[in-house]
Amino acid sequence: VSLQELLFEKQEEEKKPLKKKKQDDEKDNKDIDNGPKPRCRGIRLQNGCEITVSDGEGSVISTLGFLPTFLHLLPPDIRSAHGVLPGLPAVAERRPLMKILVGLRGTKEELDLTGADWYRLPNATLPRDELDPLTGGVKFGNIGVDDDDVEGSGGGETMETAEMTEIAEGGGGRGKRSKATTTTSTSSSSSTTIATKTPRRSKFTSGQSWMKVSFPSAKDPSWSDCHGSVSTCVVTIEADDDYVKMFDTKPKIYSIFNKGGGSAMVGDGTAGRLTDRVLKDLMETFPQLGDKMECIQLCGPFRSGLTQNPARFAIKGNRPETPYPGLFIGGADLTVADSFSGAIVGSWLAANAVMGYSYVDHLYLKKNITSDLEQFLEESYDVEEDLAVPFDSKECDDAMMKKNNEDGIAPTTTAESSKEE
């Protein structure tokens, strides 16, 4: 059952004397920023079930990200009355991601797979340097920037506008007609034409678009023991405009209107054509997978948090604590997006915020939840756990005996062996 909204305690409305309308309007923004906020007391699911925390002590931690929490889960009446995080309108949502799941026949040794992820970054190593014709010097350009693309690194789509004014004298002038959409307004003395360039659609381009390839089965040492001669591959790409649409709002957000779930048949419709282009790039990078594919599935789009731009790290609200008591934010939005380690660190920060630890505790007192847990952990364990790498006690005994021999320590004898002697 999916999540519907957050639950908040009801606040008692204070009776205030009537004031002038201008004074009320001037204090509206101050009340939203500095006024008392209701406490978050739980969540409500789509089936109507409510899960609440203990009164006055419990906390709700959202690892979905800033935008889903405050735009989708925060009730509209609470959002309009008390506002959102400081600086949230300045950020932008990253373009949603899609994943192609590929089942492979063979082990990681047979397919020569690695546990490291493979990335392709568009124009990451193509600096746009320019040569000055007068001095002969080289003017260094930006790395990873394509002036022809209308979509920036922040995932936003821009509209280029140009205003052209012509003096209408004797029927006007003659020139080239622009292919862009134009809007013309005329007057008795002049004619003004505003040309709007339609933004280029974002499509996955073979050999150029951003792509990530990972082999989860190669990262698990016990995978072959549990699943045999089978491997997995996950290819991650940015969703095309056929699946998502960006709205130039504050903050900039994406709307998902076409789900790509299900098995992707080669050449079957939009999903099939997209899968063909992705698999073509996959085969060029990993040619040993050509005849080893057993099944292919296209999933997504999935929301991927905030865009990695300076505004994301500069806003005041990018922290685990929120203006609403009892509500905390965790996950990769606090640290680095599209990172498993970043999500863990973000959740660790949220857990420390719930316990009330501040930067003074972290930096000066060296006190956090990790140091608290270390006080209760035992140094050794007698019970053998289910480890990813099988534990062999005989190998440990042999290694210990070898070390004792090198150090000149005589091996210990048992009571029974000494009695026999």
Side-chain angles (χ1 to χ4, degrees):
V1 181
S2 59
L3 187 61
Q4 180 180 355
E5 64 178 358
L6 297 171
L7 299 177
F8 290 86
E9 296 179 352
K10 294 182 179 180
Q11 286 185 317
E12 296 182 358
E13 297 182 357
E14 299 180 359
K15 295 182 179 180
K16 297 181 180 180
L18 296 177
K19 297 181 180 180
K20 295 181 180 180
K21 184 176 180 181
K22 292 184 179 180
Q23 296 178 353
D24 294 340
D25 294 340
E26 293 177 356
K27 292 186 177 182
D28 280 345
N29 296 331
K30 295 183 180 180
D31 294 339
I32 291 178
D33 295 336
N34 303 324
K37 306 293 191 298
R39 183 177 184 85
C40 183
R41 63 180 183 89
I43 60 174
R44 178 183 289 115
L45 304 180
Q46 292 289 351
N47 60 1
C49 179
E50 296 184 359
I51 303 176
T52 59
V53 298
S54 57
D55 296 337
E57 298 180 357
S59 301
V60 177
I61 302 178
S62 174
T63 58
L64 300 177
F66 287 105
L67 296 182
T69 301
F70 287 94
L71 299 185
H72 302 155
L73 300 181
L74 200 66
D77 56 339
I78 298 294
R79 184 171 58 249
S80 59
H82 302 281
V84 295
L85 284 177
L88 190 66
V91 300
E93 183 182 9
R94 182 186 177 186
R95 177 173 284 270
L97 302 178
M98 301 190 71
K99 297 180 182 293
I100 293 90
L101 312 181
V102 183
L104 303 173
R105 182 177 65 257
T107 62
K108 64 178 182 179
E109 291 80 11
E110 297 172 352
L111 300 177
D112 191 20
L113 304 180
T114 176
D117 297 339
W118 181 88
Y119 287 86
R120 182 176 65 196
L121 306 178
N123 298 333
T125 58
L126 299 177
R128 289 178 170 267
D129 299 339
E130 297 179 359
L131 182 64
D132 192 342
L134 299 179
T135 62
V138 178
K139 181 181 179 182
F140 297 102
N142 296 327
I143 297 178
V145 176
D146 190 355
D147 296 335
D148 296 333
D149 292 340
V150 296
E151 180 174 348
S153 59
E157 297 176 1
T158 59
M159 300 282 289
E160 295 183 0
T161 59
E163 181 175 353
M164 299 173 292
T165 304
E166 299 178 355
I167 305 299
E169 297 179 356
R174 180 180 179 183
K176 296 182 179 180
R177 181 180 297 273
S178 174
K179 296 181 180 180
T181 304
T182 59
T183 303
T184 305
S185 59
T186 59
S187 61
S188 58
S189 60
S190 64
S191 172
T192 302
T193 303
I194 301 177
T196 304
K197 183 179 179 181
T198 304
R200 190 170 62 185
R201 291 175 56 84
S202 177
K203 304 283 287 186
F204 180 85
T205 305
S206 298
Q208 298 181 9
S209 298
W210 182 90
M211 187 172 73
K212 171 187 174 182
V213 181
S214 60
F215 301 96
S217 59
K219 303 178 182 180
D220 187 358
S222 62
W223 176 270
S224 58
D225 297 336
C226 300
H227 304 281
S229 182
V230 176
S231 299
T232 59
C233 174
V234 179
V235 183
T236 307
I237 61 173
E238 292 183 336
D240 290 352
D241 285 346
D242 295 328
Y243 298 91
V244 298
K245 181 181 180 180
M246 195 213 70
F247 291 91
D248 193 10
T249 56
K250 294 184 179 181
K252 295 181 180 179
I253 58 175
Y254 281 88
S255 175
I256 299 175
F257 53 85
N258 190 0
K259 288 285 185 179
S263 59
M265 302 300 295
V266 178
D268 182 16
T270 303
R273 291 190 294 270
L274 175 61
T275 306
D276 291 343
R277 298 195 298 270
V278 175
L279 294 181
K280 177 183 177 182
D281 289 357
L282 179 64
M283 293 301 101
E284 292 179 356
T285 309
F286 301 94
Q288 68 272 24
L289 307 181
D291 57 344
K292 304 297 182 180
M293 297 185 182
E294 292 290 338
C295 58
I296 303 171
Q297 184 177 357
L298 178 65
C299 301
F302 305 101
R303 298 192 181 276
S304 53
L306 300 178
T307 302
Q308 295 276 44
N309 56 5
R312 165 188 177 155
F313 301 99
I315 62 173
K316 183 180 179 180
N318 191 356
R319 58 188 63 196
E321 301 87 355
T322 68
Y324 298 91
L327 178 62
F328 297 86
I329 298 293
D333 275 358
L334 293 174
T335 53
V336 182
D338 196 19
S339 171
F340 179 72
S341 59
I344 293 179
V345 173
S347 301
W348 181 83
L349 293 173
N352 281 276
V354 172
M355 298 302 298
Y357 292 132
S358 64
Y359 69 94
V360 177
D361 299 314
H362 292 299
L363 299 178
Y364 299 102
L365 303 180
K366 306 298 182 183
K367 187 174 179 59
N368 50 57
I369 60 172
T370 305
S371 62
D372 293 344
L373 293 175
E374 289 178 351
Q375 301 178 8
F376 302 96
L377 294 179
E378 299 179 0
E379 295 182 358
S380 60
Y381 298 91
D382 297 332
V383 181
E384 183 177 348
E385 298 181 353
D386 185 14
L387 304 176
V389 180
F391 177 76
D392 192 349
S393 59
K394 184 179 179 181
E395 294 181 359
C396 294
D397 295 339
D398 295 341
M400 182 64 68
M401 185 176 298
K402 183 179 179 181
K403 182 179 180 182
N404 292 337
N405 294 334
E406 294 176 354
D407 298 339
I409 302 176
T412 58
T413 58
T414 60
E416 294 182 358
S417 62
S418 61
K419 184 177 180 180
E420 291 178 357
E421 293 177 357

